[in-house]
Amino acid sequence: YYRQNRLSEAIQLWKSATHIQPDDKKLAAKLAKAQREEKVESGFTEGATANFVLRYDGDKYEKIGGLALQYLNMAYDKVGFDLGFYPTGEITAILYPEETFKELQSGPPWANGIFDGKIRLPIKDNELNEETFARSIFHEFTHAAIYQLTKGNIPTWLNEGLALYEEGSLRPQLEEALIKAVRDSQVFSIKELEKTFLNLPKQQAAVAYAQSYSLVKFLIESYSLTDIQDILKKLGQSKNIQQAFEETIAISLTDLESEWRVSQALPVSR
């Protein structure tokens, strides 16, 4: 029900479940989140295409809503082609006023969007940077596609690196963060980039995102997008990342990290 935007039915179901499992904290958190969303989204306009449902405040964001659907459809075609995979079923995207987005989401204050089963994007009331908006849509849609393809079985560096790659180029502030980290030999190991970046301080997170992009770009340029597609398919078959790499391009993650470090003129870890 929740992923189908049938919030009232999801809430009723989870309410009933909490009576049976009153100590289930995850269930309680899901219920509370859905109740907050229902309150905020009760008056939202809904737009739809063959692949997306978009929810937004039609009075405030009518033009932005049309633009969002346009970019979502473009992302579906471009990202789907690159990944060799087009998600099935309707994907929900929701536009929130920036302050509401911050109130509803538990992510870091620097987040420009989030995918948690739905694409959620903040909108600043006083301005819309169309390039940033388009980047965010391509980024979050990539996460949506990858989640469906791999069933969530993917290390963060590959997930985020691909999402940034699909934006078209690395954002200048991230590029600067990577240049500084490489210069100071303060980059992460690939093992450290497996888990979420959301708990990192802003500057370290910038390095983690930028390094992930750099690793993915290096991987695509050294091998191919077809190899990336095959790696993602194997992850979707419940193989681990090491198996997926060795079966597809016959290298280990350690080999990839060493090759990438050489490309950045960094000492190779032993």
Side-chain angles (χ1 to χ4, degrees):
Y1 291 135
Y2 180 76
R3 291 202 176 186
Q4 295 171 347
N5 298 310
R6 295 159 67 182
L7 289 178
S8 60
E9 290 161 282
I11 287 167
Q12 289 304 315
L13 186 66
W14 285 334
K15 274 185 177 178
S16 299
T18 57
H19 293 310
I20 301 168
Q21 299 171 287
D23 297 326
D24 189 327
K25 293 181 179 178
K26 288 185 177 179
L27 180 60
K30 284 182 179 180
L31 174 59
K33 182 179 182 183
Q35 288 172 324
R36 291 194 303 271
E37 289 175 17
E38 185 181 47
K39 184 177 179 181
V40 169
E41 298 172 25
S42 59
F44 275 16
T45 296
E46 193 168 282
T49 66
N51 304 302
F52 298 98
V53 172
L54 178 70
R55 294 176 58 78
Y56 59 101
D57 185 332
D59 293 333
K60 294 175 70 174
Y61 304 134
E62 183 178 0
K63 289 183 180 179
I64 295 175
L67 195 63
L69 284 172
Q70 179 183 329
Y71 282 127
L72 284 165
N73 287 327
M74 289 169 63
Y76 186 88
D77 292 338
K78 169 67 165 59
V79 177
F81 179 83
D82 286 350
L83 299 185
F85 175 78
Y86 297 87
T88 57
E90 290 180 334
I91 294 172
T92 298
I94 309 170
L95 308 181
Y96 299 101
E98 187 175 36
E99 288 307 311
T100 305
F101 175 84
K102 290 177 181 177
E103 290 167 7
L104 285 177
Q105 306 311 316
S106 57
W110 41 261
N112 292 315
I114 194 167
F115 172 74
D116 60 0
K118 300 178 182 181
I119 295 171
R120 304 178 191 272
L121 299 167
I123 304 296
K124 291 184 178 181
D125 286 341
N126 59 341
E127 61 178 318
L128 177 72
N129 183 311
E130 192 171 331
E131 181 187 351
T132 300
F133 187 56
R135 280 177 175 270
S136 296
I137 286 175
F138 272 72
H139 187 111
E140 301 306 334
F141 173 75
T142 303
H143 285 319
I146 287 173
Y147 181 81
Q148 203 175 111
L149 176 55
T150 67
K151 303 175 181 66
N153 177 37
I154 185 170
T156 299
W157 69 266
L158 183 54
N159 195 356
E160 293 296 348
L162 282 167
L164 286 165
Y165 181 83
E166 289 299 338
E167 289 187 23
S169 62
L170 193 59
R171 302 184 192 204
Q173 65 270 33
L174 295 183
E175 189 170 3
E176 290 170 11
L178 181 61
I179 290 170
K180 184 176 186 302
V182 168
R183 185 187 66 216
D184 299 340
S185 295
Q186 294 295 314
V187 297
F188 291 93
S189 69
I190 204 164
K191 183 73 176 174
E192 291 173 317
L193 294 173
E194 288 183 356
K195 296 181 180 179
T196 181
F197 304 159
L198 296 180
N199 300 320
L200 293 173
K202 185 175 181 178
Q203 190 55 38
Q204 283 187 288
V207 175
Y209 279 101
Q211 189 178 339
S212 298
Y213 167 85
S214 183
L215 280 162
V216 165
K217 189 168 183 285
F218 175 80
L219 190 58
I220 291 169
E221 291 175 350
S222 300
Y223 299 91
S224 71
L225 263 175
T226 301
D227 289 325
I228 295 285
Q229 294 171 7
D230 290 341
I231 288 168
L232 294 175
K233 286 175 186 174
K234 291 181 188 300
L235 293 174
Q237 296 164 0
S238 299
K239 295 186 177 181
N240 64 43
I241 189 67
Q242 190 72 43
Q243 290 174 309
F245 264 68
E246 290 176 350
E247 291 179 15
T248 304
I249 53 179
I251 67 167
S252 67
L253 290 178
T254 301
D255 293 334
L256 171 65
E257 183 171 6
S258 296
E259 290 175 12
W260 177 81
R261 291 182 71 93
V262 168
S263 77
Q264 300 295 314
L266 285 164
V268 176
S269 302
R270 297 293 181 186

